[in-house]
Amino acid sequence: MKVLVCISNVPDTTTKVRFIDDNRKLDTTGIQWVINPWDELSLTRALELKDVASNGIEKVTVAHVGSVAAEPVIRKALAIGADDAIRVNAEASDAYFVASQLAEVIKQNPYDIIMCGIESSDHNGSTVGGMLAELLGIPSVSAVSSLSIENGTFVLTREIDGGKENVQVPAPFVAVVQKGIAKEPRIAAMRGIMMARTKPIAVVEPAAIEAYTEVMGYEMPKPRAACKFVDAENAGQLIALLQNEAKVL
Amino acid sequence: MSVLVFVENWDGKFKKATFEMVSYASIVAEMSNSNVVALSIGNVENAELEKLGKFGATKVVSVTNDKLNFLDNQAYTSVIAQVAEKENAEVVILSNNNTGKALAPRLSVRLKAGIGSGVNHLPLSITPFVVQKRAYSGNAFANLLIKTPVKILTLAQNSFEIKENGSSTLIENFNADLGEGVVKTVVKDVQKQTGKILLTDADVVVSGGRGMKSPDNWAPLVEFAELLGAATACSRPVSDEGWRPHEEHTGQTGKIIAPNLYFAIGISGATQHLAGVSSSKYIVAVNTDKDAPIFSAAQYGIVGDASKVLPKLVEAVKEMKAK
């Protein structure tokens, strides 16, 4: 059985974003790139499943659509424990473009479990996983907070509005994963970092796909009004302010 | 031409978020000279379906089929796509909740339609079709051009006011074509959260952070929330420590919420936390550190210890309610 984890590289989550070119492009100066947090958790869970021999997972591959600039992040995924990697050599123009490139890769070389993070912390689209499943014509389960293999059956927990459901789907399928899938992201050990240097990254040229959407520009949120302080001794006054001034109570 | 809005039901009932979505759809329809058609999947009584008319749905297509008792993304996508094609939908609107996030991308491929996800404003323009959406986890907004003939939007909750503007609506039952073997998701069991206000539905949220110091100190926070009819939430360290359940974690990797009023009690306000709550209309912060970043995001603040401030807040709410 083979597992594919789709990874995206995103600015470190503490980055103060700035834009250039008339607010059309992210200013990448000084940005630290990391594996998208949900993708990192997906990878961790995939490796945990592989660690249990009876699950029968022979390989965990990571796939990324992006330029050579993302290779350090891909190497990090290999250092954490992925066996190999595929990079589609193209600028990720939109979610449909990315999903279509991944679908082409998977059609060439099928996987049993495909894992995608529920969103990327840069575009916040929540779209690639579902699109990929539809392009491949296979089931998808979204908002997955647990994934296990029980006697060869895939058991997933998904979050619904106001609860959880335990579901089963046949492979191949796409699991769109969220928090809870793994406790903490796995950290690369020195041995993993050494081994990652020789693990293969296959570079694939992109298929001709036209994006569905295009970002015309970015805007920053309007700054909030300055904070109005209420003295701690008279904390109760806050309630009156919320009721009469803000009118939210 | 039409604007199709997929309305989910919870045990046969709609929520405030449903009516927000239909209200939103009716303005989009006005902007594009078309009508709103609502699609309901599952058993919902006509009296409930008729409510959608008040918010501007001129027609409600109701699909009932035992195969659709549980969410199967492929089967639901197929039904929505059939209705979108039948109604000649130019815009399809879903909620940006877990169901909407599961279905919108599949539908995008099926209808060859670009998605604007998590939109919280009306389209900036219809021709060309441009929407504003969240980007960089709340640190920016992107103006997104959707280039395809059909457009899909997922609407962020609590981002649009309910507006009653319609009247009666036509209810039409539709027999969706669902072949054998379409449904592949088998639901083994369901654990529903009962008797509590859902974090994602709540107008007011009271959230505790590490400044609460111990899981044993939560009683006044819970009491405060109950008095306000608010949902309870927490920061990531609190859920990581197991002080509170993971479902309560709000922030970048937890739940992203946009209530009218958010109380951050003993939360310093790291970027990752703010990413989950920055769309709240009002933020109130209580923290011992006057330089904590949460105060830059808040409109009201108290510099003080949660254990001393909370009882005072509880008392003040009791007084307010007694009036």
Side-chain angles (χ1 to χ4, degrees), chain B residues 302-317:
Chain B
I302 296 177
V303 179
D305 192 283
S307 63
K308 297 209 173 67
V309 172
L310 268 170
K312 290 200 168 84
L313 294 178
V314 166
E315 199 184 317
V317 175

Side-chain angles (χ1 to χ4, degrees), chain A residues 131-226:
Chain A
M131 285 179 171
L132 180 56
E134 185 67 24
L135 287 162
L136 296 170
I138 61 175
S140 56
V141 183
S142 193
V144 172
S145 59
S146 119
L147 165 61
S148 53
I149 304 172
E150 291 168 17
N151 305 319
T153 310
F154 303 100
V155 183
L156 301 92
T157 306
R158 70 175 172 195
E159 294 231 345
I160 52 171
D161 258 24
K164 289 175 190 173
E165 288 176 349
N166 288 322
V167 307
Q168 292 180 355
V169 281
F173 63 88
V174 175
V176 181
V177 296
Q178 64 153 47
K179 185 187 156 77
I181 190 77
K183 241 183 145 160
E184 292 270 332
R186 199 172 270 198
I187 293 166
M190 188 45 79
R191 187 163 168 269
I193 295 169
M194 301 298 284
M195 282 168 66
R197 290 183 188 163
T198 54
K199 286 180 180 172
I201 301 179
V203 179
V204 179
E205 287 310 312
I209 301 288
E210 203 161 323
Y212 282 173
T213 60
E214 185 185 333
V215 174
M216 308 295 285
Y218 293 95
E219 287 178 26
M220 303 305 275
K222 290 188 191 74
R224 288 186 182 252

Side-chain angles (χ1 to χ4, degrees), chain A:
Chain A
M1 193 155 53
K2 295 196 298 176
V3 181
L4 184 73
V5 179
C6 305
I7 62 169
S8 160
N9 67 329
V10 296
D12 177 81
T13 50
T14 56
T15 306
K16 291 260 178 278
V17 294
R18 274 190 303 269
F19 299 96
I20 49 170
D21 285 2
D22 245 359
N23 285 328
R24 278 171 166 263
K25 267 180 76 183
L26 179 72
D27 180 358
T28 53
T29 322
I31 283 186
Q32 285 276 358
W33 296 92
V34 298
I35 306 177
N36 180 44
W38 296 272
D39 304 346
E40 199 176 19
L41 288 172
S42 301
L43 175 60
T44 301
R45 185 60 191 150
L47 296 171
E48 286 169 1
L49 289 171
K50 190 188 164 206
D51 286 346
V52 179
S54 60
N55 285 335
I57 294 173
E58 71 228 50
K59 198 163 88 161
V60 173
T61 302
V62 292
H64 174 78
V65 178
S67 72
V68 69
E71 293 226 344
V73 164
I74 298 174
R75 285 278 170 223
K76 190 183 166 198
L78 294 172
I80 291 170
D83 297 292
D84 59 0
I86 301 165
R87 179 173 68 81
V88 180
N89 188 29
E91 286 298 331
S93 47
D94 85 337
Y96 177 72
F97 178 88
V98 170
S100 301
Q101 301 301 343
L102 292 169
E104 291 304 316
V105 165
I106 296 162
K107 281 178 195 161
Q108 299 294 319
N109 198 350
Y111 293 83
D112 303 279
I113 304 176
I114 299 156
M115 297 171 84
C116 295
I118 193 158
E119 65 170 34
S120 64
S121 61
D122 49 2
H123 298 299
N124 307 120
S126 290
T127 37
V128 171
M131 285 179 171
L132 180 56
E134 185 67 24
L135 287 162
L136 296 170
I138 61 175
S140 56
V141 183
S142 193
V144 172
S145 59
S146 119
L147 165 61
S148 53
I149 304 172
E150 291 168 17
N151 305 319
T153 310
F154 303 100
V155 183
L156 301 92
T157 306
R158 70 175 172 195
E159 294 231 345
I160 52 171
D161 258 24
K164 289 175 190 173
E165 288 176 349
N166 288 322
V167 307
Q168 292 180 355
V169 281
F173 63 88
V174 175
V176 181
V177 296
Q178 64 153 47
K179 185 187 156 77
I181 190 77
K183 241 183 145 160
E184 292 270 332
R186 199 172 270 198
I187 293 166
M190 188 45 79
R191 187 163 168 269
I193 295 169
M194 301 298 284
M195 282 168 66
R197 290 183 188 163
T198 54
K199 286 180 180 172
I201 301 179
V203 179
V204 179
E205 287 310 312
I209 301 288
E210 203 161 323
Y212 282 173
T213 60
E214 185 185 333
V215 174
M216 308 295 285
Y218 293 95
E219 287 178 26
M220 303 305 275
K222 290 188 191 74
R224 288 186 182 252
C227 185
K228 194 175 214 174
F229 285 95
V230 173
D231 186 52
E233 288 308 310
N234 302 312
Q237 283 179 358
L238 175 72
I239 300 301
L241 283 170
L242 293 173
Q243 193 181 19
N244 304 321
E245 191 178 87
K247 299 190 189 336
V248 279
L249 281 184

Side-chain angles (χ1 to χ4, degrees), chain B residues 16 18 34 46 57 92 95 151-152 160 174 182 190 193 257 306:
Chain B
K16 193 180 118 210
T18 316
S34 59
N46 279 3
V92 182
S95 171
K151 288 92 182 161
I152 297 176
F160 199 76
F174 176 70
V182 172
V190 184
Q193 189 187 339
I257 55 170

Side-chain angles (χ1 to χ4, degrees), chain B:
Chain B
M1 291 294 181
S2 70
V3 173
L4 180 69
V5 46
F6 168 62
V7 290
E8 197 179 345
N9 73 80
W10 287 264
D11 298 322
K13 297 283 180 232
F14 298 126
K15 286 186 189 176
K16 193 180 118 210
T18 316
F19 303 128
E20 282 169 11
M21 232 182 2
V22 179
S23 303
Y24 179 88
S26 83
I27 310 283
V28 175
E30 221 175 276
M31 289 170 78
S32 52
N33 285 320
S34 59
N35 290 316
V36 177
V37 177
L39 162 62
S40 161
I41 298 181
N43 296 313
V44 182
E45 285 183 17
N46 279 3
E48 188 72 9
L49 293 175
E50 276 161 11
K51 287 183 188 167
L52 301 172
K54 276 198 290 192
F55 303 96
T58 51
K59 182 155 110 180
V60 178
V61 176
S62 170
V63 177
T64 51
N65 185 320
D66 281 344
K67 288 180 181 166
L68 302 170
N69 286 348
F70 288 105
L71 176 65
D72 176 275
N73 295 335
Q74 283 170 298
Y76 270 58
T77 298
S78 165
V79 172
I80 301 172
Q82 287 173 44
V83 175
E85 275 157 17
K86 176 176 95 72
E87 297 296 334
N88 201 5
E90 221 176 356
V91 182
V92 182
I93 301 173
L94 300 95
S95 171
N96 192 44
N97 64 3
N98 283 338
T99 308
K101 286 180 193 171
L103 299 175
R106 296 201 75 121
L107 206 52
S108 162
V109 170
R110 189 76 65 106
L111 300 174
K112 298 186 171 32
I115 302 188
S117 49
V119 299
N120 56 2
H121 280 292
L122 285 168
L124 301 178
S125 73
I126 296 289
T127 339
F129 200 93
V130 180
V131 288
Q132 193 167 77
K133 67 177 288 288
R134 223 171 138 257
Y136 294 97
S137 298
N139 289 313
F141 294 105
N143 293 336
L144 189 77
L145 168 70
I146 304 181
K147 299 192 272 192
T148 48
V150 179
K151 288 92 182 161
I152 297 176
L153 303 179
T154 65
L155 183 68
Q157 272 172 273
N158 206 25
S159 60
F160 199 76
E161 293 284 321
I162 286 183
K163 245 192 202 143
E164 289 199 28
N165 58 359
S167 51
S168 62
T169 188
L170 178 81
I171 297 173
E172 180 189 294
N173 293 310
F174 176 70
N175 252 330
D177 177 21
L178 279 174
E180 280 306 310
V182 172
V183 174
K184 297 200 185 74
T185 313
V186 181
V187 175
K188 287 299 188 186
D189 64 279
V190 184
Q191 302 141 40
K192 278 201 180 145
Q193 189 187 339
T194 50
K196 269 178 81 180
I197 299 160
L198 293 185
L199 192 45
T200 43
D201 289 345
D203 288 328
V204 182
V205 172
V206 183
S207 187
R210 223 174 344 206
M212 295 290 291
K213 293 191 186 115
S214 148
D216 306 329
N217 296 341
W218 243 263
L221 187 150
V222 172
E223 187 187 5
F224 182 53
E226 275 171 3
L227 284 165
L228 293 173
T232 49
C234 70
S235 68
R236 178 172 169 175
V238 165
S239 77
D240 281 357
E241 291 289 333
W243 292 3
R244 300 292 294 174
H246 280 290
E247 290 78 36
E248 286 198 357
H249 167 202
T250 48
Q252 187 171 49
T253 51
K255 289 203 168 62
I256 291 159
I257 55 170
N260 291 332
L261 178 57
Y262 180 76
F263 287 90
I265 316 274
I267 294 175
S268 64
T271 323
Q272 293 92 331
H273 184 75
L274 294 177
V277 302
S278 61
S279 299
S280 307
K281 296 209 169 71
Y282 283 89
I283 295 178
V284 174
V286 177
N287 203 293
T288 49
D289 174 9
K290 69 173 175 33
D291 297 321
I294 190 74
F295 288 121
S296 318
Q299 287 94 326
Y300 293 99
I302 296 177
V303 179
D305 192 283
S307 63
K308 297 209 173 67
V309 172
L310 268 170
K312 290 200 168 84
L313 294 178
V314 166
E315 199 184 317
V317 175
K318 281 184 180 159
E319 272 172 36
M320 173 186 89
K321 294 186 104 176
K323 274 182 196 161

